[in-house]
Amino acid sequence: MPFEFENTELKEVILVKPRVFGDSRGFFLETYKKNDFFEAGIKDDFIQDNHSKSSFGVLRGLHYQKAPNMQAKIVRCTKGKILDVAVDIRKNSPTFLKWVKRELSEENHYQLYIPEGFAHGFVALSDIVEVNYKVSGKYSPKDEGGILWCDKDINIDWGIDFEPLLSEKDKVQKTAKELKDEDLL
């Protein structure tokens, strides 16, 4: 099998380790194979691929989509290195507001599967970062949600000792406590 699927502390979030075939010419790997992902429990229908570029210190998140346009994601870093974070925002979940993080990089080729019901964010840890991710639902501005990246009740350890660069939108996101009940999933 060209993939190893590793459960994280939040059982629904899965680290995907593709098998890399390398030699003096470079490398080859498969990044997605529907049958293998399906057998590993990742059964979402991914409908769109996205690509972002960031410079060192950029933090994007924590973002999510509400029903009816919720999104599962498969995130990978194709240039540079990121710390990728998923937060459980399902109100009735035993792991509500718990988080998991993994380093994704062009060297390790790891991918993080983040199911519907989780907020997502990452911080760029190298000069230039390019992130590619599959999503299972369409982007809908009216269904867009977000949580402040530094929410003290969630207390994510971003592993950084600098003030991150944020979008204007991410600077003013609310904490989970400030969000209305219908804003969480």
Side-chain angles (χ1 to χ4, degrees), residues 55-69:
S55 57
F56 176 81
V58 168
L59 192 148
R60 296 179 185 268
L62 300 162
H63 304 146
Y64 60 94
Q65 288 278 132
K66 298 176 276 187
N69 291 299

Side-chain angles (χ1 to χ4, degrees), residues 168-185:
E168 292 306 312
K169 175 176 70 175
D170 287 343
K171 287 178 184 177
V172 297
Q173 297 282 15
K174 295 179 180 178
T175 65
K177 277 186 180 174
E178 293 170 327
L179 291 171
K180 297 177 185 161
D181 218 30
E182 63 270 13
D183 286 330
L184 294 171
L185 309 176

